[in-house]
Amino acid sequence: MASPDSAVPGSKTFEPYIPSETRIPEFTVRSVLTGTILGMVFGASSLYLVLKVGLTVSASIPVAVISLALFRALSKLGIRDATILENNIAQTAGSAGESIAFGIGVTMPAILILGFELELMRVMLVAILGGLLGILMMIPLRRALIVKEHGVLKYPEGTACAAVLTAGASVESRAAASPAARADMAAAEAAGLGSSAGGKVIFTGFGVGLLYKTINIAFKGWKDIPSKVFGSSFQGGSVGIEISPELLGVGYIIGPRIAAIMCAGGVLAYLVLIPMIAFFGGTLGAPLPPGRTLISGMDPDQIREAYILYIGAGAVAAGGIISVIRSLPTIWHGLRAGLGDFRAAQRDRGPSSGAAVGRTDRDLSMKFVGIGLVLLMLAIVLAPSLHMNVLGAILIVIFGFLFVTVSSRLTGEIGSSSNPISGMTIATLLLTCLIFLVIGWTGGTYYVTALSVGAIVCIASSNGGTTSQDLKTGFLVGGTPKLQQYAILFGALASALVLGPILLVLNNTATVYVPIAQVAPGLHTDAAKLTGTSKLTGPQASGDAATYKVWFKTDELGGPAGKYFVNDRGEAVWYVDPGINGTHTKRPDGSEVRKFAAPKATLVSYIIKGILSRDLPWSLVLLGVFIAVTLEMSGIPSLAFAVGVYLPLSTSAPIFVGGLVRWLVDRKKRHQLKDSDLDEHQLAAESDKSPGVLLSSGYIAGGAIAGIFIAISAGLLSGFDTKLNNWANANNPFFGGANADALSVVPFLVLTGFLYFVAREKLLSAPKR
């Protein structure tokens, strides 16, 4: 018997895997908890990733595969295997972490660049309010987008996730499957998507990434960024590569084209722009602003910090704006269609609101959604840390509904990984700041208000798209929408509560207290106007136990904007260089600190500061703008290139290596399937489900989780870390000495070779089509 959802355009005979009238376990404690915990893990790894390179990868398929493998393993111990609907609930609850992490990492670190504190309450409120707002705003669109346009909106990643769930369905689920679903089971197994194999690959990648990163960083097994600075014949030129498993995995997943374009941006910065600045500026007898020391005395990293970051930020801003302009027809189409979908959904819901509906067509009530939205908006207005006002709240409602609608529809058309959430965030910030500028709201507190608007809309848009993708997966497998909506609300809330503290810990453990003589000698302010006090924390706290007044400096007059510790006489004593977007990588005792670049958060801060204060080195910013324009005129996507200009070349280089491995594997696959009738999109879909993608997902999760724990432990155990570093420099040839740069590449080559052979192995054994 067909389900009530079968009467949809383009698919009148559609029946989900589990029919609507069939009842099997679905919303269970273990499924929700499993998904929530996995969501926290992938949310944490995604946050780490977005702080390093400004992007994340979808967590839905990895969470689904791990859930399948975990419950299948437990079934061998006599515990009941999970049904396909339980696994669907797990992946739904687990998917929210990644989308919230992206929104937090893209926006909230900007507060540090704007000269304010990264407060825990502010971060958690933005994460919770944005995450829940996106889910609630998407719920009224489900019938229109998922049901009525089934066969029109493909939801590529949601459909792929459903394929993974059906391929790994339990015996109980197979027995309850619809006749049409049973006919597809054999084909799915032949495609190699079973949960057992996929789970082993991801767990293997996780273990390898975790072990590799721990030995490399925590135990100083080998140098983590081998590099080469060229001599006088090419002054200022340098190359390097951060040999990390998570960046290698990112490169494999995003593919060779974007990876190569991103790395090309790094090549321009490190092998063209920095050498040019060193060549032309090396003879100057005075510092060239915004630099504060002679260019002749700067190394490549110092030149990057003083000049290239502004050029890169200008390029990223221009690339983001160009992407928005290019997407305007699509956004306009999505908005018009989405509003039509919303009106149609309300018409359909009205006359049948009292009628009994099938299990697969039950949503949370509009009363629940309406009350939830009202409460969220009240919380946004009343939360003191957001510095919100009524106009800001109205803008959140308008932009939130606009971009949640657009995001949900675009996810159906191009998938969540290609969804231009960054562009929507840029558009929100531009319009918000322009409105504030017209009104005359240009003071420092309005920086926070504008950022809060952009951050909440960014997270809402991201989570709205993720919710629609999850509901598509549920539609295909026969899940209950209402239960999925409960699951993602719970998963989003849990992830939001965890990601805020993680962000602060990552920032605090990499914070450096810089003596004021090194950055702004003689800087002072009126101490009587300062109310907040603080002490040094972390490894430097033992050397100075004094309590200082805190000064948040928002201009560049006399010294860089940021946070300062000031004595009772108003004299600045310490400049607090943050762990995110900070520039000082060594503490006064010489110990190394690993900073986070957060490139898109820098873009956010420059948009806010550039419009509301116009206090930027515009010559450098405009150089970046016209680099992006030149690339667009040449037919090259400028945003990925611009991110490469902003990031260190050492960060984009391993991404390029991962993309190269993907190119080699895909080249083999194309040759293998040359006699098939698959088009380019179908070949790409096959590649996206390959063992290489699953192993790369494990690399990312394992490496990123290890990085988080290492960052925390390095701050807590700084003495041990310094002693181990000194010992490795003296005794480990892979870490210190003349040959360390060359030798440290060897473990990375082993890691890369393992990825290639795992990805290629299944291809060689795959049946010809």
Side-chain angles (χ1 to χ4, degrees):
M1 180 179 177
S3 75
D5 292 330
S6 61
V8 294
S11 184
K12 291 187 177 181
T13 60
F14 173 77
E15 188 173 25
Y17 188 93
I18 301 297
S20 180
E21 64 273 12
T22 301
R23 303 300 179 97
I24 59 176
E26 184 173 5
F27 192 85
T28 59
V29 172
R30 64 176 185 167
S31 65
V32 175
L33 288 181
T34 298
T36 300
I37 293 170
L38 291 175
M40 292 177 180
V41 172
F42 278 93
S45 65
S46 296
L47 181 60
Y48 182 87
L49 200 60
V50 77
L51 293 176
K52 288 182 71 69
V53 294
L55 51 83
T56 61
V57 294
S58 177
S60 291
I61 291 178
V63 170
V65 171
I66 293 175
S67 173
L68 285 164
L70 281 174
F71 288 125
R72 187 61 47 83
L74 290 174
S75 69
K76 296 179 180 179
L77 301 177
I79 301 173
R80 180 182 64 81
D81 196 1
T83 68
I84 187 173
L85 299 188
E86 286 180 293
N87 284 310
N88 179 52
I89 288 293
Q91 74 84 19
T92 299
S95 64
E98 177 266 329
S99 59
I100 293 176
F102 176 81
I104 292 175
V106 163
T107 57
M108 293 315 295
I111 202 77
L112 296 167
I113 308 171
L114 294 172
F116 293 90
E117 187 71 271
L118 189 66
E119 297 175 5
L120 177 61
M121 185 56 65
R122 178 184 292 141
V123 177
M124 291 179 64
L125 274 174
V126 165
I128 293 170
L129 296 172
L132 300 185
L133 192 67
I135 298 168
L136 292 178
M137 283 185 167
M138 192 276 148
I139 288 173
L141 299 172
R142 185 196 69 86
R143 281 191 54 81
L145 296 178
I146 308 300
V147 180
K148 288 188 173 296
E149 298 208 37
H150 176 65
V152 178
L153 295 179
K154 302 297 185 181
Y155 284 93
E157 287 159 311
T159 301
C161 188
V164 171
L165 291 174
T166 55
S170 64
V171 174
E172 180 183 2
S173 302
R174 290 170 179 265
S178 65
R182 294 175 189 174
D184 294 334
M185 291 179 186
E189 284 295 335
L193 291 172
S195 63
S196 177
K200 288 179 181 177
V201 172
I202 288 187
F203 280 122
T204 299
F206 182 89
V208 170
L210 187 72
L211 182 64
Y212 179 101
K213 187 87 171 184
T214 301
I215 296 174
N216 177 202
I217 305 298
F219 295 103
K220 319 299 178 187
W222 50 87
K223 192 173 182 178
D224 59 325
I225 308 180
S227 59
K228 169 67 177 177
V229 178
F230 300 109
S232 57
S233 59
F234 191 37
Q235 184 180 358
S238 65
V239 293
I241 179 170
E242 183 176 345
I243 48 178
S244 68
E246 65 272 19
L247 298 183
L248 178 68
V250 167
Y252 188 95
I253 289 176
I254 68 175
R257 176 166 168 75
I258 298 300
I261 291 173
M262 185 181 292
C263 188
V267 170
L268 176 70
Y270 277 75
L271 298 178
V272 179
L273 296 179
I274 291 177
M276 283 179 63
I277 292 172
F279 179 79
F280 291 111
T283 58
L284 295 177
L288 177 66
R292 292 182 171 83
T293 60
L294 292 175
I295 291 177
S296 59
M298 292 182 178
D299 61 28
D301 287 335
Q302 290 172 324
I303 293 176
R304 172 181 174 267
E305 292 164 6
Y307 306 103
I308 301 301
L309 290 182
Y310 293 104
I311 297 174
V316 172
I321 293 169
I322 290 170
S323 71
V324 172
I325 294 172
R326 188 189 295 114
S327 300
L328 281 177
T330 304
I331 291 174
W332 176 244
H333 166 73
L335 175 61
R336 289 183 60 191
L339 290 173
D341 295 336
F342 182 81
R343 288 192 294 267
Q346 298 312 302
R347 286 197 304 270
D348 291 347
R349 188 177 302 277
S352 61
S353 59
V357 293
R359 178 183 59 80
T360 56
D361 199 31
R362 295 175 186 165
D363 292 290
L364 288 173
S365 69
M366 288 303 100
K367 182 179 180 181
F368 180 96
V369 173
I371 293 174
L373 290 174
V374 170
L375 291 176
L376 288 177
M377 296 316 301
L378 285 175
I380 288 172
V381 173
L382 297 177
S385 61
L386 299 182
H387 293 276
M388 191 55 63
N389 50 42
V390 175
L391 176 60
I394 293 172
L395 292 176
I396 288 173
V397 172
I398 295 172
F399 293 136
F401 178 76
L402 165 66
F403 289 124
V404 167
T405 301
V406 172
S407 174
S408 298
R409 191 168 188 89
L410 290 183
T411 300
E413 294 177 350
I414 59 178
S416 64
S417 296
S418 302
N419 199 0
I421 299 297
S422 298
M424 299 177 199
T425 307
I426 291 169
T428 299
L429 286 168
L430 284 172
L431 293 171
T432 300
C433 290
L434 287 173
I435 292 171
F436 283 12
L437 186 65
V438 170
I439 296 175
W441 292 353
T442 57
T445 56
Y446 293 112
Y447 290 178
V448 181
T449 306
L451 178 63
S452 298
V453 172
I456 291 173
V457 171
C458 175
I459 296 170
S461 304
S462 179
N463 218 21
T466 297
T467 301
S468 65
Q469 178 173 286
D470 292 335
L471 292 173
K472 178 66 172 184
T473 301
F475 174 75
L476 294 174
V477 302
T480 306
K482 180 178 181 179
L483 299 181
Q484 282 189 270
Q485 290 154 10
Y486 277 132
I488 197 167
L489 283 169
F490 185 82
L493 179 61
S495 293
L497 291 173
V498 169
L499 292 176
I502 290 176
L503 179 66
L504 265 71
V505 167
L506 291 176
N507 178 67
N508 293 339
T509 54
T511 293
V512 174
Y513 299 92
V514 185
I516 199 64
Q518 295 183 20
V519 290
L523 185 66
H524 65 279
T525 188
D526 185 355
K529 295 181 179 179
L530 305 179
T531 56
T533 60
S534 186
K535 294 182 177 182
L536 277 69
T537 60
Q540 292 179 249
S542 59
D544 186 350
T547 299
Y548 294 98
K549 291 190 173 183
V550 179
W551 176 27
F552 293 105
K553 186 171 176 290
T554 58
D555 56 49
E556 298 288 336
L557 185 64
K563 182 179 179 180
Y564 291 83
F565 282 178
V566 178
N567 62 25
D568 292 334
R569 296 185 299 276
E571 300 166 342
V573 179
W574 297 100
Y575 169 62
V576 185
D577 188 63
I580 302 173
N581 291 111
T583 57
H584 293 263
T585 59
K586 286 188 177 180
R587 296 189 178 96
D589 64 359
S591 59
E592 293 282 345
V593 177
R594 294 174 181 82
K595 300 285 188 175
F596 295 93
K600 290 184 179 177
T602 303
L603 165 62
V604 166
S605 71
Y606 282 15
I607 289 173
I608 296 173
K609 197 171 184 179
I611 294 176
L612 296 184
S613 72
R614 289 160 285 187
D615 184 20
L616 286 174
W618 284 104
S619 296
L620 293 174
V621 172
L622 289 173
L623 281 175
V625 168
F626 287 108
I627 287 174
V629 171
T630 302
L631 288 167
E632 292 290 341
M633 293 175 67
S634 303
I636 300 171
S638 61
L639 186 56
F641 187 95
V643 171
V645 174
Y646 182 85
L647 291 172
L649 176 59
S650 59
T651 300
S652 56
I655 294 176
F656 173 69
V657 173
L660 182 61
V661 174
R662 176 70 174 265
W663 178 79
L664 293 172
V665 172
D666 287 354
R667 184 168 174 264
K668 178 67 179 177
K669 190 173 191 70
R670 282 181 172 81
H671 176 73
Q672 194 174 31
L673 300 177
K674 63 181 179 180
D675 297 328
S676 69
D677 295 327
L678 300 180
D679 59 26
E680 193 64 27
H681 292 293
Q682 290 171 320
L683 285 170
E686 288 294 312
S687 180
D688 287 341
K689 296 183 287 187
S690 70
V693 170
L694 297 179
L695 186 71
S696 295
S697 298
Y699 275 6
I700 292 169
I705 294 301
I708 291 172
F709 284 114
I710 291 168
I712 295 172
S713 63
L716 297 175
L717 305 172
S718 59
F720 172 77
D721 187 69
T722 301
K723 290 179 181 178
L724 189 59
N725 189 80
N726 294 336
W727 179 90
N729 260 318
N731 300 284
N732 184 356
F734 282 79
F735 187 84
N739 299 316
D741 290 298
L743 290 174
S744 61
V745 176
V746 174
F748 185 68
L749 291 177
V750 174
L751 186 75
T752 304
F754 183 66
L755 172 61
Y756 173 74
F757 285 111
V758 169
R760 189 171 178 266
E761 181 181 3
K762 275 290 185 70
L763 297 178
L764 293 177
S765 61
K768 295 271 187 177
R769 295 194 178 192

